[in-house]
Amino acid sequence: MLKEQSIVADSLTTAVDELCQKFGVWAAARTLIYVAWTKRRTSNSVSGMSDRMRRDIGLLPEENRRLPSRFSLWDIRL
C-alpha cells in the first residue's frame, strides 16, 4: 500500500511541476486559490432558500426574512 501511495504522490508532484512550468507559479497558485474559494462557496447552505423549500426539507421558515419598512417623506399628507 505504501508503494501505491508513493506512486500517486509522485504523479501529483509531477503534475503540479508540469503546471508550474507551463503556466508559471503565480498562475498555478492563483488558480488553486480560486478553485478553493469556489468550493468553499458551494457548500450546503440553506440561507438562500425560500420558506416553502425550507418546509419541504423539514426546516423551519426564517422569521426575519423581510426588511423593516422605511419611512418615506412622500407618505406625509398635508
Side-chain angles (χ1 to χ4, degrees), residues 4-16:
E4 293 173 4
Q5 288 177 345
S6 66
I7 292 172
V8 171
D10 290 340
S11 64
L12 178 63
T13 55
T14 55
V16 171

Side-chain angles (χ1 to χ4, degrees), residues 1-76:
M1 186 160 169
L2 180 64
K3 186 175 181 180
E4 293 173 4
Q5 288 177 345
S6 66
I7 292 172
V8 171
D10 290 340
S11 64
L12 178 63
T13 55
T14 55
V16 171
D17 189 38
E18 289 175 7
L19 286 174
C20 289
Q21 287 178 359
K22 186 173 183 180
F23 298 107
V25 175
W26 292 112
R30 184 175 50 238
T31 305
L32 177 65
I33 291 170
Y34 173 75
V35 169
W37 181 257
T38 55
K39 290 288 184 182
R40 181 176 177 260
R41 290 179 54 200
T42 58
S43 65
N44 294 332
S45 176
V46 294
S47 63
M49 289 185 174
S50 66
D51 288 338
R52 181 178 178 187
M53 290 179 73
R54 291 174 64 90
R55 281 192 304 269
D56 286 347
I57 62 173
L59 296 175
L60 295 174
E62 288 185 22
E63 294 181 15
N64 297 331
R65 188 112 183 163
R66 296 180 186 240
L67 295 174
S69 61
R70 292 184 177 175
F71 177 74
S72 174
L73 293 176
W74 294 106
D75 292 337
I76 298 175

